[in-house]
Amino acid sequence: MLPSSSHLSLKDVLIQQELLTSDQLNVALEEQRRHPKMLEEVLLDLKFISPSALQNALSLVTGLPVVDLKNIILDSKIFNLLSLDVWRECQAVAFGWRENVLCIAMVDPENILLIDRLRQHLYETHKITQIQLYHADSQAIESYINQGDEFCPSYFSIEKADDSIVKLVDSILTHAVNIGASDIHFQPEEQVVRIRYRLDGILRTLQTLHKTMWPTLSVRLKVMGGMDISEARRPQNGRFTRQIAGHEVDFRISSHPTIHGENIVTRLLDKDKSLLSLEDLGFVSDQIEYLKKVSEFPQGMIIVSGPTGSGKTTTLYALFSQMNSEIRNIMTLEEPVEYQLQGIRQTEIKEGGVVSFSDGVRSILRQDPDVIFIGEIRDEATAKMALRSAMTGHLVIATLHTSDSFGVPSRLIDLGLHPNLLAGHIICSVSQRLIRKICFECQGSGCLKCDQSGLKGRIVLSEILSFNEDIDEIVAKGGNRTELKQYARQHGYKTINDDAELKLLSGVISQAEIKRVLG
């Protein structure tokens, strides 16, 4: 460990670290005498040391840390805190937040004049007073600034957009995949185009572009999705697949006309994303034991309910992954297929395609199935085919949109199933929500890993209503949700609120998140 900057000069550090020989130092000092420059500049001109090695040496002198900007994904919100002119003049760039302190990389983080200029601009424009300076070499900073130049709204022009639109779209898609976003929203407004991504269920602004960018940007997206670029008055759907960071990712793209132009949303489906187990998803041990047990039943219906985006399909994939497909024929109908599972026959149902969910169930019944997964029961025909399958010796696992597990019977009855036939054929109903976890890195105070939110990743809040003769009797009378809930409370069933309370006490989630998710 070398002494601090108060004890060593740059020359001392370079010699002690064996980054420079005495002869090289003498040559550099003579060159500096003949052509007055900073020693750092002379060493780089003579190629006696690499830019990164020089910054590491300077770090030992100043006591300031070094950052490798090549490993930092550019965040346009942070980059655009100051203009390109200021960043270039100061040979600096902001790249993140750490505990409410703005992180800035500089070529010369001891240049008082440049630091004062940065502080003045940050305070005048954003009232930012706390900064942490880092060392970074000039090439890395220039490259980072050039990357930001492509995204900085105030510097865009139509000509530049035409040249860089492919690179811009690729950059947006790659960034979304790298951070684990589920959707990208391209939203034209009166003067700007707002680009937002959904991360852990929450929409966040990624970039804001000038409205003049939208014609070429929207055309590029529609061409990639195989959509009609001449049609802007009707909704369209498309899809494309890209290899990103070694992963094959499916992108489902949809457009919708608005008063400011076509709104475009892209859903990301990473085919190589690893499957999560029920434990990873956040189910407690007794729930896991029960779900594994009922998944071995020969017949009946297991219904997983919850709103869109509550993780229903992910839960069922976790359930399928531990089922024995060697001795059981497991067949699925999905819209879309999000994961490809070994040993399971999966069928993708496309909106407006030749095969619907009800047609698919009818066809699967001729394939000698043991387990049938229905991606969503959404109409009477599908509901009736699902019940018929459960009544004729098949285990049917399906998702359904209801507010909780107690509303499953009444929803199925609303879809046309007779209460007397439904009673006795539901094994259980599961209801779930996804809730953001407190960031493990900072324990909720905010850091770079969680984008200063204090929250990172999600787990399941769930409840399971296990059907028995008493519950079947309530179902046969019409499946009254209030009666089912009263029965569950009287007989010690754990509700989704109980699960939330348990995870709150264990320090995994916050009270504010519970209120946001459950109300």
Side-chain angles (χ1 to χ4, degrees):
M1 178 73 69
L2 286 168
S4 67
S5 60
S6 60
H7 297 89
L8 288 178
S9 66
L10 177 60
K11 293 181 289 185
D12 297 329
V13 171
L14 292 172
I15 295 296
Q16 289 194 18
Q17 291 284 293
E18 297 183 353
L19 296 170
L20 206 65
T21 67
S22 298
D23 288 342
Q24 287 174 321
L25 178 59
N26 290 334
V27 170
L29 292 174
E30 176 61 22
E31 181 68 16
Q32 186 183 29
R33 187 183 67 79
R34 292 172 178 269
H35 306 284
K37 289 183 180 180
M38 298 276 292
L39 178 60
E40 298 95 300
E41 295 178 79
V42 174
L43 292 171
L44 291 174
D45 289 343
L46 294 172
K47 295 184 169 40
F48 283 170
I49 191 170
S50 69
S52 59
L54 176 61
Q55 291 301 324
N56 286 327
L58 287 169
S59 173
L60 293 171
V61 175
T62 64
L64 296 173
V66 177
V67 62
D68 185 355
L69 291 174
K70 294 192 297 294
N71 295 327
I72 304 291
I73 296 174
L74 189 141
D75 185 325
S76 63
K77 291 185 296 183
I78 297 174
F79 182 84
N80 289 329
L81 287 172
L82 295 181
S83 70
L84 286 167
D85 289 340
V86 173
W87 291 136
R88 287 203 165 106
E89 179 187 340
C90 297
Q91 288 190 286
V93 71
F95 63 88
W97 292 93
R98 182 160 295 159
E99 297 179 354
N100 298 317
V101 176
L102 182 64
C103 301
I104 298 179
M106 293 186 71
V107 174
D108 183 8
E110 287 197 307
N111 188 315
I112 302 300
L113 293 178
L114 295 183
I115 293 170
D116 284 347
R117 177 164 166 73
L118 287 173
R119 288 186 181 278
Q120 179 183 354
H121 279 286
L122 288 169
Y123 182 77
E124 288 177 352
T125 56
H126 304 286
K127 303 302 180 190
I128 295 173
T129 58
Q130 299 296 314
I131 64 172
Q132 168 66 56
L133 297 176
Y134 290 75
H135 284 275
D137 67 79
S138 58
Q139 293 177 1
I141 285 182
E142 183 63 26
S143 175
Y144 202 82
I145 290 174
N146 289 338
Q147 184 185 356
D149 190 9
E150 297 170 8
F151 303 137
C152 186
S154 60
Y155 284 78
F156 264 128
S157 66
I158 287 293
E159 293 77 14
K160 185 168 184 178
D162 289 336
D163 294 336
S164 63
I165 200 69
V166 172
K167 190 174 181 181
L168 171 62
V169 172
D170 286 348
S171 228
I172 293 169
L173 298 181
T174 300
H175 181 63
V177 171
N178 287 339
I179 64 173
S182 61
D183 304 85
I184 311 171
H185 291 240
F186 299 87
Q187 301 173 319
E189 298 177 5
E190 187 173 1
Q191 299 293 336
V192 299
V193 177
R194 199 176 307 278
I195 301 174
R196 300 198 288 172
Y197 59 84
R198 189 177 293 279
L199 183 63
D200 292 337
I202 302 296
L203 277 173
R204 303 180 186 183
T205 298
L206 172 65
Q207 294 171 235
T208 303
L209 310 178
H210 195 274
K211 186 66 174 289
T212 53
M213 288 288 299
W214 188 229
T216 48
L217 180 57
S218 61
V219 165
R220 172 61 182 165
L221 290 166
K222 291 170 75 174
V223 166
M224 293 173 71
M227 300 157 72
D228 184 356
I229 62 173
S230 66
E231 179 57 74
R233 296 171 298 174
R234 292 188 179 90
Q236 294 189 66
N237 295 302
R239 60 188 295 178
F240 59 94
T241 301
R242 300 294 292 271
Q243 283 284 137
I244 295 179
H247 295 272
E248 187 175 272
V249 183
D250 267 351
F251 295 88
R252 310 298 170 97
I253 182 169
S254 66
S255 67
H256 182 82
T258 73
I259 59 173
H260 296 303
E262 289 180 282
N263 196 80
I264 294 179
V265 176
T266 302
R267 166 65 56 92
L268 284 65
L269 299 171
D270 190 340
K271 292 183 176 180
D272 296 328
K273 189 165 59 176
S274 59
L275 282 171
L276 298 175
S277 65
L278 293 170
E279 290 90 342
D280 293 333
L281 289 171
F283 286 92
V284 296
S285 57
D286 57 341
Q287 291 176 329
I288 294 170
E289 183 180 344
Y290 175 79
L291 288 173
K292 289 182 176 179
K293 180 180 74 173
V294 298
S295 69
E296 299 300 322
F297 282 17
Q299 66 184 58
M301 297 174 69
I302 298 173
I303 305 293
V304 179
S305 66
T308 300
S310 59
K312 302 184 293 295
T313 304
T314 304
T315 293
L316 292 177
Y317 276 126
L319 194 60
F320 290 141
S321 66
Q322 56 84 43
M323 294 171 70
N324 189 345
S325 60
E326 287 292 321
I327 62 171
R328 304 170 89 185
N329 182 19
I330 304 172
M331 304 190 74
T332 76
L333 299 169
E334 307 172 54
E335 184 190 9
V337 173
E338 296 187 23
Y339 300 90
Q340 295 183 15
L341 302 174
Q342 188 72 28
I344 295 178
R345 277 137 293 284
Q346 297 171 267
T347 300
E348 185 159 278
I349 303 295
K350 297 181 180 178
E351 187 176 348
V354 294
V355 179
S356 65
F357 276 110
S358 57
D359 293 334
V361 177
R362 192 175 289 107
S363 176
I364 280 177
L365 287 174
R366 304 187 189 103
Q367 296 283 308
D368 186 31
D370 296 297
V371 180
I372 301 172
F373 167 48
I374 303 173
E376 184 183 342
I377 297 176
R378 61 176 65 163
D379 53 45
E380 182 177 356
T382 306
K384 286 184 175 179
M385 286 304 302
L387 179 58
R388 182 181 302 175
S389 303
M391 293 172 66
T392 54
H394 305 90
L395 179 64
V396 176
I397 302 175
T399 73
L400 186 72
H401 284 283
T402 62
S403 59
D404 56 27
S405 59
F406 309 103
V408 166
S410 58
R411 174 62 181 146
L412 291 173
I413 292 169
D414 288 342
L415 286 172
L417 300 187
H418 196 282
N420 286 328
L421 291 177
L422 188 60
H425 291 102
I426 302 180
I427 299 170
C428 68
S429 60
V430 182
S431 180
Q432 67 179 62
R433 300 289 189 277
L434 288 175
I435 187 168
R436 292 185 293 172
K437 297 186 293 184
I438 293 172
C439 177
F440 177 77
E441 295 287 335
C442 64
Q443 297 297 312
S445 62
C447 64
L448 287 175
K449 291 285 181 69
C450 63
D451 197 21
Q452 303 301 320
S453 68
L455 303 163
K456 185 170 178 59
R458 291 188 292 177
I459 57 171
V460 162
L461 298 180
S462 60
E463 64 186 14
I464 301 176
L465 179 61
S466 176
F467 283 60
N468 55 31
E469 290 183 0
D470 294 334
I471 292 179
D472 287 338
E473 187 176 332
I474 298 173
V475 172
K477 293 188 297 183
N480 184 281
R481 179 179 174 277
T482 303
E483 283 188 54
L484 286 171
K485 203 160 191 176
Q486 288 174 347
Y487 177 88
R489 284 174 177 164
Q490 292 166 3
H491 291 80
Y493 281 78
K494 295 291 191 298
T495 68
I496 201 167
N497 294 84
D498 296 325
D499 193 28
E501 186 69 23
L502 180 67
K503 290 180 170 73
L504 175 66
L505 293 174
S506 62
V508 178
I509 60 177
S510 68
Q511 186 68 59
E513 269 295 284
I514 294 176
K515 185 175 181 180
R516 182 186 69 83
V517 173
L518 298 181

